[in-house]
Every structure is written in structure tokens, then in C-alpha cells.
């Protein structure tokens, strides 16, 4: 699933192409909103909120979530799409661009003034404009509010802080020497963990090749995620893979070094 840095870049690209433009066509291929036509409305902006995307058009917000398979593409009018048309869930036309949302896991429309009813539950956005000490403290407090939860589950909960997915939460646990199943109550410095999460995602927000090791060479970008059975880059122990979570919503694939993460 795309993580907050990927969604941030998607929003920025769409915003640069569409901001201030008037829609010359609007085709929504989701039954609940198929009759809505925003043609003639102005695109005010496209923003990300954690893993969520918001196109603000006229007085309407188009809310989408990529989930596992979704993507937004930009094309010049008349050029061939890179994915089949049957996968398109929404097509927005301007004089200069065609924006296509393919296989979006979620697509809905709402008045912009009611956005908070949809995304207001999210915790502080790690890539939000104006992130400060108050945001960091709030995120740490939200994580601490359920002390019995495994730390990796708490970090991935978008209600605590918005933007982290499986890659980042596994890498964070390794970098802090935490076993993924360790209870939140046993993690000594939640504020430091939140700070590191922001540093990591900020470092990757402007590049397609994500790295937590600082090495962009293929196969060397990550410490543990996706490396089950391979040697730890620090101690040589074999990386172990597991699954953790009380239900399907919380279920996470975990990767850990049994020696470095206690």
C-alpha cells in the first residue's frame, strides 16, 4: 500500500497540473456519484492528508484513497493511457491535462466544508504544513493512550499519526531497537520515536526511491522490510518475518532482527 510520502508526491504533482484550472470534463465511474458532473468548476487545489487525497473543486471535495492497487495518472489530451480504461474510476479533463484515478480503493464526493467528518479522525499528519512541537506531542499522547498495544500496530494506526505504512513502521522499530510486538507501555521515548518517523518520511518525500539506510543502491535501501531470511545489515542474524494484530484491520506483516530488536 502506498505510504504517506508517495501520496504526498501524488498530490503535489496533481496540484501543480490542475490548480487554478477549470474542468472541461468530468466522468465519475462509481455508481453512487456517477451522475455528478463538476464540469465548469475550478480546481482550487489538490492536497494530501496522511494517505488520503483531496481534490478541492468548486465547493466540492473529491476524496480518494489508493489502498493497494490505486494510482492517479496525468496525461496530455489525446495521448494513450498506460492502464486499461476499465480500471478508471474517475476522469477529470482540463484544457491541458487529463487526470485519471485508476482502481482507487475509495472514491467519494462531499461538500468541502464537511471534509472534517471524513478525515477529521486522523492523527497529526507527518508531512503536514506547519508541523510543530504540539503535533509531535499530540501524536505521542495518542500512541500512549493504549499502552497494551504492540508498538508496530500503534505506529501504523492512522488515528495516532497519519502517513506511516508497513515499510516505515518496520524500519522504525529496527532503527530504535524495538521488537514489533513490544507493548507501547514498554517503549521509553515515544516522542523520540515520533521525531524519527518525521525525519524518515521527510527525507523521502521528494524521491521515488525510498531509503531508510541512506543507500539508494538497489537492494540496499531498507534495513529489514521485505528481507525475511536475509542477514541483518548490522549483526548478520537472519531477519525473521511474522504477523501481528488482533483483527484484520490491525494485522501487520513484521520484519525484525532477533538480535538487534529486543
Amino acid at each position: 500500500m502506498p505510504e504517506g510520502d508517495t501520496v504526498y508526491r501524488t498530490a503535489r504533482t496533481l496540484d501543480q497540473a490542475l490548480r487554478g484550472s477549470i474542468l472541461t470534463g468530468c466522468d465519475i465511474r462509481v455508481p453512487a456519484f456517477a451522475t455528478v458532473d463538476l464540469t465548469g468548476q475550478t480546481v482550487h487545489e489538490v492536497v494530501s492528508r496522511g494517505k488520503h487525497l483531496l481534490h478541492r473543486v468548486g465547493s466540492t471535495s473529491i476524496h480518494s484513497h489508493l489502498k493497494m492497487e490505486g494510482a492517479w495518472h496525468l496525461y496530455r489530451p489525446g495521448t494513450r493511457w498506460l492502464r486499461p480504461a476499465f480500471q478508471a474510476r474517475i476522469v477529470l479533463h482540463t484544457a491541458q491535462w487529463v487526470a485519471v484515478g485508476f482502481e482507487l480503493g475509495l472514491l467519494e464526493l462531499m461538500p468541502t466544508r464537511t471534509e472534517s467528518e471524513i478525515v477529521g479522525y486522523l492523527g497529526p499528519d507527518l508531512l503536514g504544513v506547519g508541523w510543530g512541537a504540539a503535533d509531535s506531542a499530540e501524536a505521542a499522547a495518542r500512541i500512549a493512550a493504549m499502552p497494551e498495544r504492540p508498538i508496530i500496530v500503534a505506529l501504523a494506526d492512522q488515528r495516532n499519526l497519519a502517513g506511516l505504512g508497513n515499510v516505515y513502521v518496520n524500519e522504525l522499530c529496527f532503527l530504535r531497537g524495538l521488537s514489533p510486538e513490544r507493548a507501547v507501555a514498554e517503549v521509553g521515548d515515544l516522542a523520540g520515536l515520533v521525531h524519527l518517523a518525521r525525519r524518515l518520511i521527510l527525507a523521502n518525500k521528494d524521491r521515488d526511491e525510498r531509503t531508510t539506510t541512506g543507500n539508494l543502491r538497489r537492494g540496499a535501501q531498507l534495513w529489514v522490510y521485505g528481507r525475511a531470511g536475509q542477514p541483518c545489515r548490522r549483526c548478520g542474524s537472519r531477519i525473521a518475518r511474522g504477523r501481528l494484530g488482533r483483527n484484520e484491520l490491525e494485522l501487520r506483516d513484521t520484519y525484525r532482527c532477533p538480535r538487534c530488536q529486543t
Side-chain angles (χ1 to χ4, degrees), residues 2 6 8 17 27 85 94 131 170 218 258:
T6 302
Y8 172 88
D27 179 10
T94 70
W131 173 282
N170 276 281
R218 185 175 179 84

Side-chain angles (χ1 to χ4, degrees), residues 20 32 39 46 54 65 76 88 94-95 100 116 120 126 156 162-163 170 175 243:
T39 299
V46 184
L54 293 161
H65 196 297
R76 292 297 186 182
T94 70
V100 188
S116 61
L126 286 163
N170 276 281
L175 288 168
R243 301 207 85 188

Side-chain angles (χ1 to χ4, degrees), residues 203-215:
N204 285 290
K205 72 181 181 66
D206 294 322
R207 57 187 175 209
D208 293 331
E209 293 294 326
R210 181 186 297 129
T211 179
T212 58
T213 62
N215 190 336

Side-chain angles (χ1 to χ4, degrees), residues 54-70:
L54 293 161
H55 291 64
R56 292 169 178 155
V57 183
S59 60
T60 299
S61 287
I62 303 169
H63 172 223
S64 61
H65 196 297
L66 304 181
K67 296 293 179 74
M68 294 296 292
E69 306 295 336

